[in-house]
Amino acid sequence: MKLVIAATPDVALPTIQALEKAHQVTVVTQPDRPAGRGKQLKATEVAGAFPNALKPESEEELQEILKDSDLLITIGYGRILRTETLAIPKHGGINLHFSLLPKWRGAAPVQRSIEAGDKTTGVTVFQMDAGMDTGPIWVQRNFDIPSGFTSPELFDALAKLGVDAIKESLVKIKRGDSPA
């Protein structure tokens, strides 16, 4: 499949690396932004790992990148995309979210899960729609949170779990299945 993966944080790296082995992948990330006390321009973690990643400044630029693609995959991209953008790829867009939706929609689901003392969390791959983490679900995978686990440890575990959830979703999409 011809995939466009739009991602910003390092938790996206395992999925990007795995999908590059079997698919034609274009990596997209956020433009460099001022960071730190000196407000020096800083690239995203994805851009650091993939120096050729495209950095569209606008949604219209992203729309151009999506032309002739089969699927958009977002992982912590940091932008809410319009429905007309999601309609460009043949199969629309899916998102890898680091919670068992509908619980912990929106930003910081891993931190919220730990703060709440959840015993179980997981990942959800869902078809993106106009809402915030509201589309129909393709795949969910559970993860039992070990006692004392920190946010970075949980992010690492869920990033690895997300690879297989995305791969399973791609099989379903290619087969012509519908999400739940």
Side-chain angles (χ1 to χ4, degrees), residues 25-40:
V25 172
T26 299
V27 178
V28 173
T29 192
Q30 293 287 336
D32 298 355
R33 302 270 193 247
R37 289 184 194 193
K39 298 295 180 193
Q40 298 295 316

Side-chain angles (χ1 to χ4, degrees), residues 53-163:
L54 303 176
K55 300 175 183 180
E57 293 282 344
S58 67
E59 193 159 342
E60 290 72 24
E61 287 181 34
L62 176 60
Q63 290 172 350
E64 286 298 316
I65 295 165
L66 291 171
K67 287 183 177 174
D68 300 319
S69 66
D70 292 316
L71 183 69
L72 168 65
I73 300 171
T74 62
I75 308 169
Y77 185 50
R79 282 189 186 167
I80 297 173
L81 302 174
R82 297 188 302 254
T83 54
E84 55 266 24
T85 301
L86 299 175
I88 294 171
K90 179 180 178 181
H91 300 289
I94 61 173
N95 177 261
L96 173 60
H97 186 77
F98 294 98
S99 80
L100 295 173
L101 292 173
K103 192 170 187 180
W104 308 125
R105 284 190 167 111
V110 168
Q111 295 88 335
R112 299 300 157 263
S113 182
I114 288 177
E115 288 171 358
D118 292 348
K119 301 290 184 217
T120 302
T121 189
V123 296
T124 302
V125 178
F126 65 93
Q127 190 75 32
M128 295 191 315
D129 61 13
M132 170 65 78
D133 301 336
T134 58
I137 293 172
W138 283 102
V139 172
Q140 286 189 309
R141 296 274 174 96
N142 292 350
F143 180 80
D144 292 330
I145 305 171
S147 178
F149 233 43
T150 64
S151 289
E153 291 169 321
L154 187 51
F155 266 120
D156 184 56
L158 295 177
K160 292 172 185 162
L161 188 64
V163 173

